[in-house]
Amino acid sequence: MDQEQIILMSSREIEKMRHAGQTAAQLLQYLEPMVQPGVTTLELNDAAEAWTQARGARSAPLGYPDGSDNPFPKSICTSVNEVVCHGIPNAKQVLQSGDIINIDVTPLVDGYHGDTSRTFLVGEPSPLAERLVKVTEECLWRGIQAVKPGGRVGDIGAAIQAYAEAEGFSVVRDFVGHGVGRIFHAAPQIPHYGTRGKGKKFRPGMVFTIEPMINEGSYEVEVLADQWTAVTKDRKLSAQFEHTIVVTTDGVDVLTLLPELVPA
Ligand code: MF3
Ligand code: CO
Ligand code: CO
């Protein structure tokens, strides 16, 4: 993956990515009010699939990757509590007050992928769950703000890791952000831990995700027998937030941020 060439997008392509990114963000907005005690993760999946089809788009996770003997079987990832990522929506999984759930959506719109996720609190979360989710969202923003002209990919992970660990949490190693565009997972890899000044240099037109997974306990993960669901080894909580961004000449543009959600 790292030997692959990093694509630099033209402004025409970036506008297509923006359209896909905004569609992904709107899908999360559409799902948010449904995230309540009593809903099943399959109901969230089916609502997402119907919404996506109604826009003439396709759910990239469904059947991903092409040609695999164990492709992802659903349209979105729903990762509850100790699930780190790639949770599979299921009719028997009913959300309970106190749960946290990451919903990760990737509509393929006019040939381009918009990849974004948020972790939602269900009902009344514990103070610890609430703090983990808040810290994880802040990790994403610190990672985004680390993208500066002349900087390097390692700056992102260094910023995220410093903050997460200062808060007493840990950074997942086994899953990373990624280049995204016509291809769902492309070069470069974007680790959420690491060293400032190391790694590939940022270039205007680079488009990639930043998607830190932050654990309450140890950073170790294991993948369940379904070969998708990644859980914390200690079964403590994990949270994640994700945006798709483009490097510009003076910083970064967040393609999956809705105008009404720009942080203060
Ligand atoms: N959306 C996930 C990501 O952020 C990837 C999901 S792959 C799937 O990279 F097959 F699990 F859907
Ligand atoms: Co991603
Ligand atoms: Co994603």
Side-chain angles (χ1 to χ4, degrees):
M1 186 139 140
D2 252 20
Q3 296 93 287
E4 265 176 68
Q5 175 132 312
I6 299 173
I7 290 161
L8 300 180
M9 285 195 192
S10 67
S11 55
R12 190 196 119 269
E13 284 181 291
I14 291 165
E15 288 322 302
K16 293 204 167 206
M17 279 304 293
R18 191 185 309 282
H19 182 228
Q22 292 291 299
T23 302
Q26 285 161 6
L27 173 52
L28 281 186
Q29 283 299 90
Y30 167 72
L31 295 173
E32 181 172 21
M34 296 179 60
V35 181
Q36 299 292 339
V39 77
T40 70
T41 52
L42 188 66
E43 287 170 330
L44 297 171
N45 177 82
D46 292 354
E49 178 59 34
W51 189 96
T52 302
Q53 282 185 22
R55 267 143 198 86
R58 202 169 78 69
S59 303
L62 184 61
Y64 179 84
D66 218 39
S68 156
D69 55 13
N70 183 38
F72 193 78
K74 295 292 176 197
S75 301
I76 61 174
C77 297
T78 51
S79 301
V80 177
N81 295 337
E82 74 281 4
V83 179
V84 172
C85 64
H86 302 165
I88 302 173
N90 182 321
K92 285 185 247 164
Q93 186 175 41
V94 182
L95 293 186
Q96 316 278 332
S97 181
D99 286 345
I100 62 172
I101 177 174
N102 175 277
I103 302 182
D104 191 338
V105 301
T106 314
L108 175 61
V109 188
D110 200 14
Y112 291 82
H113 294 81
D115 191 4
T116 186
S117 84
R118 275 152 64 192
T119 299
F120 300 97
L121 304 166
V122 183
E124 300 288 329
S126 70
L128 174 65
E130 203 164 345
R131 190 169 70 85
L132 176 67
V133 170
K134 213 168 163 248
V135 165
T136 304
E137 186 167 21
E138 175 67 18
C139 282
L140 171 57
W141 283 106
R142 289 189 182 217
I144 290 170
Q145 282 156 3
V147 180
K148 295 196 176 115
R152 289 179 183 268
V153 164
D155 302 355
I156 297 171
I160 291 170
Q161 185 177 17
Y163 181 66
E165 292 180 356
E167 289 291 327
F169 298 136
S170 68
V171 178
V172 169
R173 278 27 174 189
D174 291 5
F175 300 96
V176 297
H178 52 90
V180 61
R182 285 192 170 277
I183 294 173
F184 194 168
H185 294 102
Q189 290 191 246
I190 309 290
H192 305 105
Y193 59 94
T195 309
R196 202 179 140 80
K198 298 268 186 204
K200 295 264 183 333
K201 240 189 185 157
F202 299 127
R203 306 272 180 213
M206 280 173 64
V207 178
F208 55 83
T209 73
I210 304 177
E211 49 181 297
M213 286 140 277
I214 305 299
N215 291 355
E216 173 194 350
S218 127
Y219 63 71
E220 289 180 286
V221 310
E222 62 191 41
V223 176
L224 300 185
D226 63 25
Q227 292 178 66
W228 280 106
T229 311
V231 299
T232 56
K233 220 169 196 175
D234 58 18
R235 300 302 192 267
K236 292 185 178 181
L237 296 174
S238 184
Q240 181 179 26
F241 284 78
E242 173 175 29
H243 274 309
T244 297
I245 66 137
V246 57
V247 178
T248 63
T249 48
D250 51 6
V252 53
D253 197 352
V254 183
L255 299 172
T256 46
L257 182 63
L258 292 176
E260 62 264 34
L261 291 183
V262 173

